[in-house]
Structure formats: structure tokens, C-alpha cells
Amino acid sequence: MRDTGPLDLAAASLTPPDATPLLAIEGLTVAFDGVPALRGIDLTIHAGEAHGLVGESGCGKSVTLLAALGLLPRSATVQGSVRLDGRELLGAPAAVLDDIRGGRVAMIFQDPASALNPVHRVGAQVTEALRLHRGLDGAAARAEARRLFDLVGIPDPTRRLDAYPHELSGGQNQRVMIAMALAGEPDLLIADEPTTALDATIQAQILDLLRKVQRETGMALILISHDLGVIADVCARVAVMYAGRIVEHGTAEALFATPLHPYTRGLLGALPDMDGPRRRLAAIEGSVPEPWAMPAGCAFAPRCGLAVAACRADPPPALLPHQGADDAEISAHLAACHRADPDIRTRAERLADPAPPVPPSRGTAVSQGV
Amino acid sequence: MTDPDLLALDGVARVYAARRGLFGGADPVRAVDSVTLSVPPARTVGIVGESGCGKSTLGRLALGLERPDAGSVRFADAPMPRIGSAAWRRLRARMQLVFQDPLGALDRRLPVATQVAEPLEIHRIGSPADRADRVADLLRAVGLRPDHGTRYPHELSGGQRQRAVLARALATDPALLVADEPISALDVSIQAQVVNMLGDLQAARGIAMLFISHDLKVVRQVSHHVAVMYLGRIMEQGDPDAIFADPIHPYTQALVSAVPVAGPRRRPRIVLEGEPPNPARRPAGCPFHPRCPIAVSDCQVIVPELQPMPDGRHVACLRAAISPGAARIAA
């Protein structure tokens, strides 16, 4: 459907590492009334990839994308650079942003019922998007809306076009939102906690749908979630955020198999298991620091069992690939932690040894350009 | 009769009348339908299910906050007294309810310590002089500092608020705690703190718990016994390890396979067709049959009863009644 190839390894390996990324966020900072919310985000999204952004409430995962699309209120001070296909979005004129939002970049949110207009039929809301972004009208728009409803698995799509949001369930409304997002044929879909308000079996359906439409349309997907399981289910690459920074970044496989940052390890340890013996959960003591009282060194140091003096004094190193690692997957697995370095080295050495084969990564293993 | 159970529900049903539109007639909604369940002292029974399955109504029936339309609720081997009677009021001290939103459960105009002391005043426990000490002890028991008591709810984090709600629930030293989605509004790292604390409190005080949640992982972590509900009925109940490792009921199979796992997926996902029906339009026969991939024609007419399985759990499924393997969904 689109010129970007389907999401598979062959296509990914053909992507030259220096190809212009679809979305490049560099040094993005956001402050609300002088209180920092984002403290320097670097993130690269390539065409066709599924990228996860995970973290707890207040870590800045939603603010990152809202800032990138110019959707924050005026009280926010946004600095840095956000480029879509090399074109700067920060400070871009409203007309340019209006064209991009809902067109090349679409977004869906946690609560579909409040994102939809309650007094308009859902079909009319989808055809409005088709008119704005594709110039379709009348019967053509209605036929296309019907096709989109069919694509997102709404049963009896012709009749559902005339339904109001309150006549549909939460899961169906989220499907309508996805149909509306697809109406502009986006190159990038940002899904912010798309299944958090849904029941388990409906969540499974929507995650399946997101995977399917991403595969079929070849668009890139940024999935924002607090749920590591949801991220693991859909994304090939993952960034973990804490207190306004990315603290770890890597392929989903590497990150869940060998988490490097103590915070990521803490999050995984805090999740109960579905099988095996029950163990006491490894809770992360304390709570996230308030944005106006950030610790001097690493923001996680006060809660970190591995913290040393350096962690309390100096901010952790930027997310840099391990020196000398030439394996794409290793150089793409990064952690901003004073104590994580030795782990990266051990892992690099272990993987450099040809004896234990590197497990094939699922999804894309695009080497990271930063 | 010697009944070791603290709480025993026997064939309990609750029917609400849901109006159709503004002037329409009333449809009966069986929110809870013939549920039999017991909670022994110092044990946790987990209730899992999706929205509308009746798990919260079950919690209110267990507490005697609602009268069942059929069946009986017994607490400490005595029938639940009439709602509003003196005996019923006295019973409030022995059973407590904690739910999802701690900010909604707390009065934002009162400091936390005043709110924790309130049950002591209502039930006239201890002298006014003792109460300050008791409040400090309660706050320490839930991992707060006594000086947190001087703060107002908005000055505490979400996790601290839920601890304050728990401190208040524990004030009367209850025998039963009904926890309805107690950690669903909390972040993962804070959830683990509260889950650990609930286990510690149970070990230290011998509280029985009815733990209601949609989160299977958390329910497995805290429960000694688990019941899976769908449209008001229990579909499968028994040992949590057995049920979550090897679910027999097709609905439990789908529910367990839908749990997102951080890491490689161990079992194939079963994605169910459709959505849970409106409880007012409960299908005939097995309530799950319209979404069940292995339903047979009998499932449309016969309501399956819970049947014991060889390993001791109970499953309400006609296919499983033939043999547990017959209910397996081929992935």
C-alpha cells in the first residue's frame, strides 16, 4: 500500500544505517512554568518500525510526543529539535502542523469515548478526516470509511457508520479511533495507552489489530504504555523513561532478556509472574522524585540499590553505544547509568564469542543512528 | 454444624432492574447468579473477571451492603443481619472495604490521622487518649510515618493515599477485608509495594481477604484460591497455580493467554471473537457460548454447573465435564 516495505528482517537489513529517519527527536526539553518535565530526549524512529515508550506516570512519555507534534499548551517551554523526514517541526507554522497531524502522523489515546464527538455519528467523524486529509467527499468518502471500518474489524460496518459513540462499546470506539487515524494514511501512528481502559480480552483484540494494520500498511508505530507486557507484545524496539529522561533503549528482545538499567530491572522485578513459584515482589522503594526537586546526580539514585557516590553527584552518561561494540544489537542497547557500563561490556564480550549464537531478533533490528 | 469458613456465600444471586431508555420497561439484570464461595480465616480468595462480570457486586454482597435476591451469605457462622439493624452496624467493624480510587475514598478537607481515627470513634474503640497512639501504630503498620497523619490527602502520593485508606480499614481490626481493585490505579513499582504489604498484614493480623481484580498476575500473587467470573457466574475456581498454569474453561484459557507478558510469549494467544454481551441480554445456555470457539449445540441450551475436576478445581463447562482435555482450544 505504501512505498515503505513490510515489517520484516529482510526489509530492515536493506535500510542503510544512515538513511534519514522518519522521526528524529534530538535534545528535546520541555518545562512547564520553569519546572522541567523533559530533560533531554533523543529518539529516532525509522519508517515501518514499531517502537515502544514505557514508564510510570509522570515520566514524560506522553509529553515527549505531544511536544513533538506541537500539542502542548503555550505555558510549556519546548526546546531541541524534532524532524519529520528531515523537516523541523518545532516552531513550524500552524498550517504545516495541521497538515501533518492527522495526515502523516496520527494519534490515538487511552479514552476513545472522550476523543470522539458524542453528538456526531462515527461515520461522519471518519469521513471528515478523509475529506481533510485525502480530499474525498460524498459516496467515495463513505465507501472508504466503510473499507476502513472493515479493516479495523468492526462487524456490520455499513450500519455502524451511522452509530453514535455511546452506542458502541469501548473496544469498538477504539477501533473507530484507529480507523480515523488510518484515514489520513499516516506514516506514523502514535498510540498513547490505547488499551489501558479496555478489558483483557478486548486489549488482546486491539493489540492484535495494531500489529495487523502496522504490518499491512507499513506505517511506523510509537506505542506509549505503562505496561511492559503490552510493549513486549507489539514493539521491536523499546525506550524506558524515568523522570523526564530515557534511561534505557534497545531491541525488545535484548531489553527484556538482559535489562541493563537498575530501574528497568526494578520494573520487571516488580511484576508478578504468571507461572513458577510465587516470590516476594521486588518493589522499588520510595517514589518518583517531584519535578521541582530533582536529585543532583542520577534521578533514580535515591531509589537505586546499586547507587554509589558518583550516582548522587553526577548525572549519568548520555545514552551512548558501548565503545568497540560492532554488533548492531549491542550498540543499539544502551543505558544511561553509571553502574550499567560493566554489564554492557560483559554482554558485548559474551556475544562477541561466536560459540553461543546470538538469538535471531524478531521484528526489525535496525541499528540505531545516535 | 462446624463451619470453619469466615465468610460463606451459598447460591447467591443479585438481580437489578435496568430501565430501557427514559420511558422503557425494566429489564432484569442478573449481576450475580448462583455463586457459591467461601473465604477461610487468614486466607485470600481472588475474584477475576472483566468489567460487568459481577465481581464488585459480589464484594458488596459479601460485605452485607446488598441483600441477595437468592441464596444466603453467612459471616462467622451466622446469617448476615438485616441491613441497617444494630447487629449489622456492629458487624461493620469486623469487615472493611478498600477500593480503587484512594482520593475518592478520603475526605480531602481532613488530615489523614483524623480519618484513620474515625472508625475508632464510630465504634467506640479505646479511650480518646489511646486513639492517637493507635493511629500512629496503624500508620506505621502500613508503612507510613506518624507525621504523614498531619497531612491532607492531596499532599500524599497515590501509593501513600492507598496506604492511608488501608490504615483506616485496619483501625477496627477487621476479620475480613474486601479489596476491590485496590492497586489498579497505582504505578507498577508502587503496586509491588502494596501487594507485599497486604501479604505482610495478612501474616501479622490473620485477616481474610476477598481480592477483586482484573489483573490475573496480581491475583495469582496474592490468592490462595481463585474464582473466574463471566456474566455473573463462576466459570472456574480452585488453586490459582493450577488454574493459571493450565486453565480448563475456554474463557479462562483466553483470559490467561491475553495477559501481556514482559518477555517472550510462552503460549499462543487465543483472541476471542466479539465482546462480553450486555448483562441485561444474557444468552441462553452457557453465558460464554457466543464467544466460545469450541461451543457445541448443547451449550446454547444447557447452563453448565460447576463440576469437580480430577485435580480438585471446579469448572462450569459442558465440554470439560466430559474430560478436561475436551475443553482445550486448539491454538
Side-chain angles (χ1 to χ4, degrees):
Chain A
M1 187 184 288
R2 306 196 74 76
D3 52 0
T4 48
L7 177 77
D8 61 36
L9 276 172
S13 58
L14 292 176
T15 313
D18 56 350
T20 309
L22 179 64
L23 184 75
I25 298 177
E26 276 169 37
L28 183 69
T29 63
V30 172
F32 294 100
D33 300 323
V35 177
L38 284 192
R39 302 179 301 137
I41 298 289
D42 296 296
L43 192 64
T44 312
I45 310 294
H46 294 277
E49 77 161 325
H51 198 296
L53 212 51
V54 69
E56 299 180 283
S57 19
C59 72
K61 51 195 191 300
S62 298
V63 169
T64 301
L65 277 313
L66 291 174
L69 295 180
L71 289 170
L72 288 177
R74 278 177 204 281
S75 63
T77 320
V78 182
Q79 282 174 325
S81 158
V82 178
R83 291 193 307 275
L84 184 69
D85 273 340
R87 187 170 175 194
E88 184 62 47
L89 296 187
L90 289 193
V96 172
L97 288 175
D98 283 344
D99 207 36
I100 285 169
R101 295 185 294 227
R104 296 209 53 202
V105 181
M107 202 160 175
I108 58 174
F109 300 92
Q110 173 172 342
D111 182 9
S114 67
L116 289 166
N117 189 331
V119 299
H120 290 292
R121 298 176 198 276
V122 290
Q125 301 188 52
V126 176
T127 47
E128 183 189 17
L130 288 167
R131 182 171 54 79
L132 281 173
H133 294 287
R134 304 250 301 273
L136 293 177
D137 258 321
R142 194 169 161 92
E144 176 65 5
R146 198 201 160 283
R147 188 189 71 81
L148 287 169
F149 270 33
D150 204 33
L151 178 72
V152 299
I154 293 175
D156 195 3
T158 313
R159 257 187 27 178
R160 287 287 187 279
L161 285 171
D162 293 323
Y164 289 96
H166 74 267
E167 295 174 307
L168 302 178
S169 67
Q172 299 290 10
N173 274 327
Q174 195 59 287
R175 289 178 195 267
V176 172
M177 286 304 298
I178 294 172
M180 200 185 292
L182 297 178
E185 297 190 312
D187 295 316
L188 172 64
L189 174 65
I190 299 168
D192 190 350
E193 304 271 8
T195 59
T196 306
L198 304 176
D199 273 321
T201 58
I202 310 300
Q203 166 166 289
Q205 293 176 353
I206 297 292
L207 293 180
D208 246 39
L209 172 64
L210 282 175
R211 266 196 307 266
K212 182 189 124 192
V213 294
Q214 197 234 344
R215 199 175 49 235
E216 288 180 4
T217 64
M219 68 180 178
L221 172 72
I222 300 180
L223 180 64
I224 300 173
S225 179
H226 70 285
D227 189 329
L228 289 157
V230 167
I231 296 278
D233 215 69
V234 177
C235 300
R237 285 202 303 152
V238 182
V240 181
M241 289 186 69
Y242 185 78
R245 279 220 174 103
I246 293 175
V247 295
E248 181 159 359
H249 196 192
T251 62
E253 189 171 353
L255 192 131
F256 290 116
T258 354
L260 297 177
H261 198 284
Y263 176 62
T264 314
R265 290 190 203 155
L267 279 182
L268 289 166
L271 288 174
D273 301 315
M274 265 308 268
D275 42 33
R278 275 175 266 185
R279 58 180 171 89
R280 190 176 173 83
L281 300 181
I284 307 174
E285 293 308 323
S287 50
V288 179
E290 301 292 352
W292 51 86
M294 274 298 158
C298 169
F300 186 62
R303 303 176 75 190
C304 181
L306 298 173
V308 292
C311 304
R312 293 180 198 101
D314 308 314
L319 288 165
L320 285 172
H322 168 59
Q323 296 299 309
D326 47 14
D327 181 284
E329 196 187 328
I330 300 167
S331 59
H333 190 182
L334 323 160
C337 174
H338 290 295
R339 303 295 312 273
D341 272 343
D343 294 314
I344 296 182
R345 203 162 294 122
T346 340
R347 187 155 176 272
E349 281 159 8
R350 198 174 65 234
L351 291 178
D353 178 5
V358 182
S361 67
R362 59 172 181 183
T364 47
V366 185
S367 79
Q368 206 205 355
V370 284
Chain B
M1 192 176 91
T2 53
D3 189 351
D5 290 326
L6 181 70
L7 176 78
L9 290 87
D10 186 17
V12 167
R14 180 78 179 111
V15 184
Y16 296 113
R19 282 215 300 177
R20 272 184 312 241
L22 203 52
F23 304 106
D27 281 332
V29 177
R30 295 186 83 80
V32 170
D33 192 18
S34 22
V35 166
T36 299
L37 190 73
S38 54
V39 185
R43 303 299 256 176
T44 299
V45 173
I47 310 283
V48 287
E50 300 179 277
S51 22
C53 74
K55 55 191 193 297
S56 294
T57 304
L58 189 68
R60 295 176 58 80
L61 287 165
L63 287 166
L65 298 176
E66 301 206 15
R67 251 174 62 84
D69 294 294
S72 71
V73 180
R74 292 175 72 82
F75 182 78
D77 215 9
M80 187 64 69
R82 194 170 53 78
I83 292 179
S85 64
W88 180 84
R89 276 177 212 284
R90 275 197 300 280
L91 215 49
R92 297 304 96 208
R94 304 215 40 212
M95 41 174 75
Q96 290 287 335
L97 172 64
V98 171
F99 39 162
Q100 180 170 345
D101 173 21
L103 199 55
L106 293 166
D107 186 331
R108 36 187 97 204
R109 295 161 304 176
L110 292 176
V112 164
T114 313
Q115 304 192 49
V116 174
E118 215 167 71
L120 300 173
E121 289 159 18
I122 290 168
H123 294 285
R124 301 207 179 84
I125 298 169
S127 68
D130 295 342
R131 283 180 196 150
D133 288 342
R134 275 192 80 125
V135 168
D137 286 346
L138 285 163
L139 291 173
R140 271 193 289 266
V142 297
L144 292 173
R145 290 191 312 270
D147 66 275
H148 280 122
T150 61
R151 303 204 194 163
Y152 289 86
H154 70 266
E155 295 175 307
L156 300 177
S157 68
Q160 288 171 332
R161 280 180 211 136
Q162 197 59 293
R163 288 169 190 268
V165 169
L166 274 163
R168 185 177 62 185
L170 297 173
T172 57
D173 210 5
L176 173 71
L177 185 69
V178 174
D180 190 353
E181 302 274 8
I183 59 165
S184 304
L186 305 177
D187 270 322
V188 174
S189 68
I190 311 297
Q191 281 190 354
Q193 294 174 7
V194 176
V195 164
N196 284 342
M197 190 186 66
L198 285 172
D200 296 343
L201 288 170
Q202 182 169 56
R205 293 164 172 254
I207 307 175
M209 292 189 202
L210 195 61
F211 192 96
I212 300 167
S213 177
H214 70 283
D215 188 330
L216 271 65
K217 284 191 290 230
V218 172
V219 166
R220 178 182 180 272
Q221 176 75 17
V222 301
S223 304
H224 302 100
H225 181 94
V226 68
V228 180
M229 289 185 70
Y230 189 79
L231 276 184
R233 295 178 71 91
I234 295 180
M235 298 285 113
E236 180 161 2
Q237 66 169 319
D239 172 43
D241 288 349
I243 288 183
F244 292 146
D246 180 27
I248 292 180
H249 196 287
Y251 177 62
T252 324
Q253 290 180 47
L255 204 57
V256 168
S257 85
V259 173
V261 182
R265 176 158 289 281
R266 291 198 195 92
R267 63 176 94 222
R269 163 163 297 165
I270 303 159
V271 176
L272 292 176
E273 294 289 315
E275 308 194 351
N278 184 339
R281 263 166 255 132
R282 174 199 298 276
C286 171
F288 184 61
H289 87 258
R291 299 176 78 198
C292 182
I294 57 160
V296 292
S297 54
D298 274 354
C299 301
Q300 298 172 18
V301 277
I302 302 170
V303 181
E305 297 295 328
L306 282 167
Q307 301 285 342
M309 293 287 122
D311 67 353
R313 79 178 96 170
H314 288 72
V315 178
C317 173
L318 296 179
R319 304 279 313 252
I322 302 163
S323 84
R328 173 114 26 244
I329 302 172

